[in-house]
Amino acid sequence: MHGRFITLEGGEGCGKSTQLKLLAEYLRSKGVEVVQTKEPGGTPEGQILRELLVTGDKDKLDAVSECLLYYADRRNHLVKVVWPALNEGKWVISDRYADSTEAYQYYGYDKRVELEVLQGLYRTVAGDFKPDLTLILDIEPEIGMGRSFAKAQTMAVKELRFESRQMDFHRNLRRGFLEIAKREPERCAVVDADADVQTVHERIVKIVEERLGI
Ligand code: TMP
């Protein structure tokens, strides 16, 4: 595979989607062909899974079912979107990927699913394939949740299944992402996301330039 795979990760309201758009524009300005995508829901089938996963009662799915659904979405996304684009030399930027499963379904829920289960699912679904770079947008959960609820009020967002969890969940989540970054420093970079959009964008561009040599 010749393209590059970049993933953006972080808790609620960290600004991933805005930053993904800005990064894609920046890379295009440098002549890179970019595919913007997301999990869950990066394929038509994934949209159906997304609806199931991010709406409704927070306790409607048991932990293992939830992980299997995220991994079904992931496999379909890899096979239909990510791998074909990388094979064509394109760069793929995904709004969330496997670190979200570890952070939300393992750390967030205080380890209701064994880490080995998630790692086994990862190997089945993706083998040795990993992102070239994972940007973890780090923000205090209180600030991120404030942004997230403000957005929900102005846009009638109904995807609040995870936002409706207790603050502890969001603190665990943040700790989880930081653990992952510590464990895999070559792949991951933590970005301080508590700043204005342009400042965070400049931080991201610097990391991408340093790590991927654009
Ligand atoms: P979004 O906020 O980036 O649109 O993502 C949708 C929700 O799905 C978000 O609350 C995080 C959650 N999620 C998981 O819990 N596990 C996962 O593996 C992924 C990809 C997302």
Side-chain angles (χ1 to χ4, degrees):
M1 292 191 197
H2 299 296
R4 301 295 187 109
F5 184 39
I6 302 175
T7 57
L8 266 78
E9 300 277 11
E12 309 300 328
C14 67
K16 278 180 297 91
S17 311
T18 306
Q19 292 300 332
L20 189 146
K21 231 169 54 200
L22 291 175
L23 177 60
E25 279 166 18
Y26 167 79
L27 290 172
R28 287 191 186 110
S29 78
K30 297 278 171 187
V32 176
E33 228 182 312
V34 179
V35 173
Q36 290 169 240
T37 187
K38 69 175 177 186
E39 290 191 4
T43 60
E45 303 75 28
Q47 280 296 333
I48 297 168
L49 294 173
R50 181 180 177 98
E51 169 83 16
L52 190 60
L53 283 161
V54 304
T55 65
D57 184 79
K58 61 183 168 43
D59 298 316
K60 73 178 181 184
L61 292 166
D62 91 285
V64 176
S65 309
E66 191 164 299
C67 293
L68 291 170
L69 290 170
Y70 277 113
Y71 267 98
D73 171 70
R74 184 155 301 133
R75 173 74 189 179
N76 196 52
H77 185 219
L78 286 170
V79 169
K80 292 198 170 161
V81 176
V82 179
W83 289 337
L86 294 176
N87 278 328
E88 288 168 13
K90 296 174 185 159
W91 287 38
V92 179
I93 317 180
S94 185
D95 188 338
R96 296 198 186 281
Y97 182 63
D99 298 315
S100 278
T101 316
E102 194 174 319
Y104 278 77
Q105 278 68 44
Y106 176 70
Y107 288 103
Y109 285 118
D110 218 3
K111 310 180 182 170
R112 268 195 342 199
V113 183
E114 299 290 323
L115 194 51
E116 294 73 43
V117 171
L118 295 185
Q119 288 167 343
L121 282 172
Y122 189 88
R123 273 192 301 278
T124 304
V125 162
D128 293 334
F129 176 75
K130 289 242 164 168
D132 295 287
L133 174 63
T134 296
L135 298 157
I136 294 175
L137 271 57
D138 181 54
I139 194 156
E140 294 273 348
E142 285 77 5
I143 301 172
M145 291 299 288
R147 287 183 185 175
S148 204
F149 277 119
K151 182 171 153 196
Q153 274 169 357
T154 53
M155 296 172 65
V157 174
K158 58 176 183 147
E159 295 186 347
L160 289 173
R161 192 165 159 250
F162 287 93
E163 280 89 338
S164 66
R165 297 204 169 272
Q166 298 300 315
M167 213 30 124
D168 271 358
F169 176 86
H170 297 283
R171 289 197 195 97
N172 289 343
L173 192 65
R174 182 188 196 195
R175 206 167 327 118
F177 278 124
L178 295 177
E179 282 285 320
I180 294 168
K182 209 154 51 168
R183 204 172 63 216
E184 290 187 68
E186 296 83 20
R187 173 173 69 84
C188 300
V190 177
V191 182
D192 178 358
D194 187 9
D196 61 88
V197 169
Q198 185 56 27
T199 305
V200 178
H201 174 58
E202 282 162 18
R203 288 174 184 162
I204 287 176
V205 164
K206 187 161 176 278
I207 294 166
V208 171
E209 284 174 345
E210 280 169 8
R211 301 260 187 135
L212 300 181
I214 184 82

